[in-house]
């Protein structure tokens, strides 16, 4: 558990203390319907990831947004471990920016973590008027207790920024990144920052290099590529995109949707079949990655039709949403 503190705020005192925290039991994921053909709002899914639960690997709650075609993107907390010593702060709200509509949703995850509810909506006109920005991408807590939200453009549609996913373990030993177009996930040992060493690699997609719409490898190289991955009878469409590591560094969670328009262009099967959430076991001693064959959350079977699940958040904070300053 975290270092004892008489008046503690949210999170943990240090990254190493966070690694001692309890195992994750639920995960929040924004799910997108834009560009899928389903006329329904995006929603926040709550997934049970507790192996002891009868609802393991299932979506246990869906919170629909009140508008269509938002394209929810990277969520963040109202406050995090940077405010650990401030008892007036609490991690109770999840901030969800919308990439296309530029709308911001603030979700209450504190009152009932397994069944979040909408707390507040900030409309695009307010963002445009006060910031002259649009295409909101990622929200993140700051050391001051404020929230920063990055954008990819201005109100006239002029581009301003890059899109990728990369993740560092809390002990600064392993670096992970997803290679969405080529379909592989990589782990590097960066104990010596000057000499990164590849210690794990998994091919989790690959349809784009096996006859997909864009040929990025030579014919001889294509022959050596593995077939698209099948987990619990489900063929995985798309490639690894968003990744999230458990606090102890032993489990890596993956989703396969990047952005609905690009999903549609590069992986048309992903639109028809929906994205998935997978879990990889991590060797934290020698390095290495091994797919958990018993873990699959299939967003192709959602009640309103196949959905595109994107990034992942744990209620208690995770490796990419906390800061310590």
């Amino acid at each position: 558990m975290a270092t004892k503190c008489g008046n503690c705020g949210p999170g943990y005192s240090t990254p190493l203390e966070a690694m001692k925290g309890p195992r994750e039991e639920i995960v929040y994921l924004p799910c997108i319907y834009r560009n899928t053909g389903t006329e329904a709002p995006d929603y926040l899914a709550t997934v049970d990831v507790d192996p002891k639960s009868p609802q393991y690997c299932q979506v246990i709650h869906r919170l629909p947004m009140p508008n269509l075609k938002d394209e929810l993107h990277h969520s963040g907390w109202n406050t995090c471990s940077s405010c650990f010593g401030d008892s007036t702060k609490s991690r109770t709200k999840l901030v969800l920016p919308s990439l296309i509509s530029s709308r911001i949703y603030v979700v209450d995850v504190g009152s009932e973590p397994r069944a979040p509810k909408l707390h507040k909506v900030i409309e695009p006109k307010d963002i445009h008027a006060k910031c002259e920005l649009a295409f909101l991408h990622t929200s993140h807590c700051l050391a001051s207790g404020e929230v920063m939200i990055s954008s990819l453009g201005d109100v006239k549609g002029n581009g301003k920024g890059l899109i990728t996913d990369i993740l560092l373990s809390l002990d600064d030993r392993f670096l992970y990144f997803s290679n969405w177009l080529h379909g592989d996930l990589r782990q590097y040992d960066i104990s010596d920052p000057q000499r990164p060493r590849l210690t794990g690699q998994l091919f989790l997609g690959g349809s784009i290099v096996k006859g997909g719409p864009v040929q990025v490898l030579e014919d001889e190289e294509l022959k050596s590529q593995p077939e698209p991955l099948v987990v619990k009878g489900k063929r995985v469409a798309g490639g690894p995109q968003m990744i999230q590591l458990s606090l102890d560094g032993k489990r890596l969670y993956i989703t396969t949707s990047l952005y609905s328009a690009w999903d549609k262009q590069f992986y048309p099967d992903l639109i028809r079949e929906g994205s998935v959430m997978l879990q990889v076991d991590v060797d934290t001693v020698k390095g290495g990655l091994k797919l958990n064959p018993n873990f699959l959350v299939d967003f192709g079977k959602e009640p309103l039709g196949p959905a595109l699940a994107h990034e992942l958040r744990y209620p208690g904070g995770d490796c990419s949403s906390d800061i310590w300053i």
Side-chain angles (χ1 to χ4, degrees), residues 173-179 184-192 194-203 283 286-289:
R173 180 178 175 192
F174 291 113
L175 183 73
Y176 300 87
F177 75 80
S178 55
N179 196 346
D184 73 311
L185 174 76
R186 301 185 186 190
Q187 176 200 52
Y188 287 88
D189 187 329
I190 58 167
S191 300
D192 182 350
Q194 303 299 320
R195 295 178 177 81
R197 183 169 57 91
L198 181 65
T199 49
Q201 183 177 25
L202 283 177
F203 283 89
D283 185 334
K286 300 179 180 179
L289 304 172

Side-chain angles (χ1 to χ4, degrees), residues 248-318:
D248 59 11
K250 295 181 179 180
R251 292 167 300 284
L252 190 70
Y253 296 94
I254 305 158
T255 56
T256 54
S257 168
L258 192 157
Y259 164 54
S260 66
W262 292 352
D263 293 346
K264 187 175 183 178
Q265 177 183 0
F266 295 115
Y267 292 111
D269 287 349
L270 188 57
I271 297 294
R272 293 189 293 267
E273 301 173 16
S275 66
V276 298
M277 176 180 168
L278 304 171
Q279 187 242 304
V280 171
D281 293 323
V282 178
D283 185 334
T284 58
V285 178
K286 300 179 180 179
L289 304 172
K290 182 180 180 181
L291 185 72
N292 182 345
N294 300 312
F295 187 103
L296 173 75
V297 182
D298 184 359
F299 289 93
K301 296 181 179 179
E302 287 295 271
L304 296 181
L308 304 173
H310 196 51
E311 55 90 60
L312 311 101
R313 288 280 176 258
Y314 308 144
D318 45 58

Side-chain angles (χ1 to χ4, degrees), residues 10 28 44 63 74-81 88-97 104-113 115-122 139-142 145-149 311 313-318 321-322:
Y28 301 126
L44 182 69
L63 175 66
H74 295 177
S75 63
W77 300 106
N78 63 311
T79 188
C80 58
S81 289
T88 67
K89 307 291 186 183
S90 59
R91 184 174 3 221
T92 58
K93 305 294 189 302
L94 193 62
V95 181
L96 285 85
I104 300 172
Y105 296 104
V106 182
V107 176
D108 177 1
V109 296
S111 299
E112 194 171 351
K117 58 187 178 182
L118 191 60
H119 173 72
K120 184 177 183 179
V121 180
I122 302 175
S139 62
H140 208 295
C141 56
L142 297 176
E146 299 172 299
V147 174
M148 174 183 69
I149 300 179
E311 55 90 60
R313 288 280 176 258
Y314 308 144
D318 45 58
S321 66
D322 258 323

Side-chain angles (χ1 to χ4, degrees), residues 218-230:
E218 299 296 328
D219 289 341
E220 288 303 314
E221 293 176 300
L222 283 169
K223 293 177 183 177
S224 67
Q225 295 300 302
E227 293 296 324
L229 182 70
V230 176

